Amino acid sequence: MKKKYSDKTVLNDISFSIRQGEFVTLLGQSGCGKSTLLRAIAGIDGVDGGAIIVNGANITHLPSRKRDIGMVFQSYALFPNMTVAENIGYGLRVKKQKNDDAVRRIMESMGLGGMADKYPNELSGGQQQRVALARALIMKPKILLLDEPLSALDAKIRKTLQIEIKRIQKEMNITTIFVTHDQKEAMIMSDRIYVMNQGMIEQHGKPEDIYTRPKNKFVASFIGSYNIFDAKETKENITGAHEAGFYDIAIRPESIEMYRTDERVTTHDAFKATGRVLIRTINGSIVNYQIQLKTKIIQVERLFQGRVDFREGETVELRIPLSACVQLG
C-alpha cells in the first residue's frame, strides 16, 4: 500500500496480513504513518497504490459506510445531546435495527450498567471511552480499528481498559487493529506487533519475539530500554567481547548482573564490564541504576526487595550473559 501527501511519502509499500480474530498492533512514533494506515483501511483516506483485501474481497475503493469496519478514535466522538444508551444504539437505529436488549447487554459487558440515561458530560474519560467502544462493537464489525483510544486516560484507568478491551475482543472474536506509540501497551494487548518507522514496517512478530530479538537499532531503541553498543563501544567497554567479533549489540538492562568488586564474578558464557554507579532510582518494584563504563553510560535494572544493594558512587562489576546480547543488523 502507498500513500503520499503532496511530495511526502507517508506509507511506503506497506504490506501485511491479519488472521481472523487476531489482535494486531501498529506501534510507532508520531508521524510514522500508523494512523494514516488505519484511516486507509477504514476508507476515511484513499490510497495511491496497492489494495485492501478483506475475506478475499477487494474493498480499496468501497465507501467507508459499506466496509463493515468499526473504528474508535482517541477523541471518543460521542454525541453530546444523546444519552449513553442512545449513543451506543445509534448505528443500529440508522440501519433500522433498533435493539434495546443488545444495547443493555453490551452496556453490562462494558461495565456501563445503570448509566443508560446519562449524558457524555456526566461521565469520566474512561466511561466515555467504554461508550465509544460499545458503540463500535454493537455493530459486530468484521474488523475493529482502534486509533490510540487510551492515550488521554490516566494510568490506572488505562491499565483497566487494556485488560477489558483484550477480554471483550477475545470473547467476540473480532479481528482488531490497534494503533499506539506506547510499547508497554502494545506488549500487554497484542497477539502480534508491527513496528513502524517512516512509513515502513521495521519488524513484526509476537510481542516476546520483538522484545527479545529486535532486528535493528531502531527497534531495539524503540521497543524497550535496551543498552545499545556500536562495535567501537563494545570493544572499549566490554571485556571478552572479542569473542563476538565487535558487532553492534543490544543488551536488556534486566539481564545484566551486578556485583561488588570483592565478589567473585564467573565469566563462563558471559562478558564482563566494570563501572561506577552514577544515579540510583526506585520505580515501584524495580531499582534502576545508571552505570558509567569507560566510555558509555548504561542502564541496569534489579528487583527491589526492600533494600538498595548499591550506592551512588560505588564501583561495581557487571556480568553480561552471552544469551542476553542481541546482535543487530
Side-chain angles (χ1 to χ4, degrees):
M1 189 185 304
K2 297 180 181 179
K3 178 68 178 178
K4 282 188 175 183
Y5 289 120
S6 186
D7 61 345
K8 182 182 179 182
T9 299
V10 183
L11 299 177
N12 190 0
D13 286 330
I14 289 281
S15 179
F16 71 104
S17 60
I18 300 172
R19 293 183 286 271
Q20 170 63 39
E22 194 173 24
F23 194 112
V24 166
T25 294
L26 305 178
L27 174 65
Q29 300 166 325
S30 296
C32 72
K34 57 189 187 298
S35 291
T36 299
L37 179 55
L38 210 67
R39 291 169 66 87
I41 295 169
I44 298 172
D45 292 342
V47 295
D48 300 317
I52 302 167
I53 309 295
V54 177
N55 294 337
N58 189 333
I59 67 167
T60 310
H61 304 294
L62 202 64
S64 58
R65 67 181 183 279
K66 294 184 178 180
R67 295 193 179 196
D68 196 12
I69 291 176
M71 188 163 182
V72 178
F73 299 92
Q74 178 182 346
S75 61
Y76 315 143
L78 302 180
F79 299 110
N81 60 330
M82 292 184 185
T83 64
V84 167
E86 289 169 341
N87 264 285
I88 293 172
Y90 177 76
L92 294 177
R93 291 198 305 277
V94 169
K95 291 192 172 185
K96 296 182 170 36
Q97 298 174 1
K98 184 180 179 182
N99 188 327
D100 292 339
D101 285 339
V103 172
R104 178 184 53 78
R105 286 195 300 271
I106 201 161
M107 284 182 63
E108 292 294 334
S109 177
M110 295 296 297
L112 295 167
M115 299 184 186
D117 297 326
K118 290 191 174 184
Y119 287 87
N121 65 353
E122 300 177 280
L123 305 178
S124 68
Q127 290 167 339
Q128 290 184 54
Q129 192 56 279
R130 288 172 189 265
V131 174
L133 184 60
R135 183 175 59 186
L137 289 172
I138 201 170
M139 302 305 296
K140 297 182 178 178
K142 291 178 183 176
I143 301 173
L144 177 64
L145 307 178
L146 304 173
D147 191 3
E148 303 212 42
L150 309 180
S151 60
L153 304 176
D154 66 54
K156 185 175 182 180
I157 294 173
R158 189 168 182 164
K159 286 182 180 178
T160 300
L161 280 181
Q162 286 169 356
I163 296 169
E164 285 298 296
I165 289 172
K166 184 68 173 177
R167 175 185 65 80
I168 292 166
Q169 183 265 337
K170 287 301 179 187
E171 285 180 359
M172 299 184 72
N173 195 37
I174 292 180
T175 305
T176 301
I177 306 175
F178 183 79
V179 159
T180 185
H181 61 272
D182 188 307
Q183 301 91 331
K184 290 182 180 179
E185 190 165 80
M187 289 286 177
I188 291 168
M189 301 182 72
S190 311
D191 295 320
R192 278 192 300 149
I193 296 173
Y194 284 81
V195 182
M196 293 184 62
N197 180 36
Q198 297 181 344
M200 296 185 292
I201 295 170
E202 293 278 356
Q203 186 174 349
H204 68 90
K206 295 179 180 179
E208 59 268 30
D209 294 335
I210 296 286
Y211 183 68
T212 58
R213 292 188 291 276
K215 181 179 178 181
N216 54 37
K217 285 185 179 181
F218 175 82
V219 177
S221 62
F222 185 72
I223 200 67
S225 51
Y226 272 91
N227 297 298
I228 300 174
F229 292 77
D230 62 29
K232 182 174 181 290
E233 291 170 333
T234 303
K235 182 178 181 179
E236 292 172 340
N237 294 280
I238 300 178
T239 303
H242 62 278
E243 298 170 22
F246 300 129
Y247 295 113
D248 294 351
I249 59 173
I251 306 169
R252 297 193 307 277
E254 71 272 18
S255 300
I256 301 173
E257 302 169 14
M258 286 179 64
Y259 299 89
R260 288 193 166 81
T261 53
D262 59 354
E263 294 182 278
R264 183 180 177 185
V265 181
T266 63
T267 55
H268 176 67
D269 292 334
F271 298 143
K272 184 180 176 183
T274 300
R276 180 171 57 87
V277 178
L278 293 180
I279 298 174
R280 179 191 66 200
T281 57
I282 299 174
N283 182 14
S285 60
I286 300 298
V287 184
N288 180 277
Y289 295 92
Q290 281 191 24
I291 307 295
Q292 174 69 66
L293 304 183
K294 290 180 181 178
T295 63
K296 187 177 181 65
I297 297 174
I298 66 169
Q299 306 289 325
V300 177
E301 292 181 354
R302 290 168 61 89
L303 187 65
F304 180 51
Q305 298 179 320
R307 63 186 181 88
V308 177
D309 296 333
F310 301 93
R311 303 182 308 277
E312 292 180 357
E314 184 174 357
T315 299
V316 292
E317 299 292 336
L318 305 178
R319 182 179 183 274
I320 307 169
L322 296 179
S323 58
C325 299
V326 180
Q327 182 178 326
L328 302 175

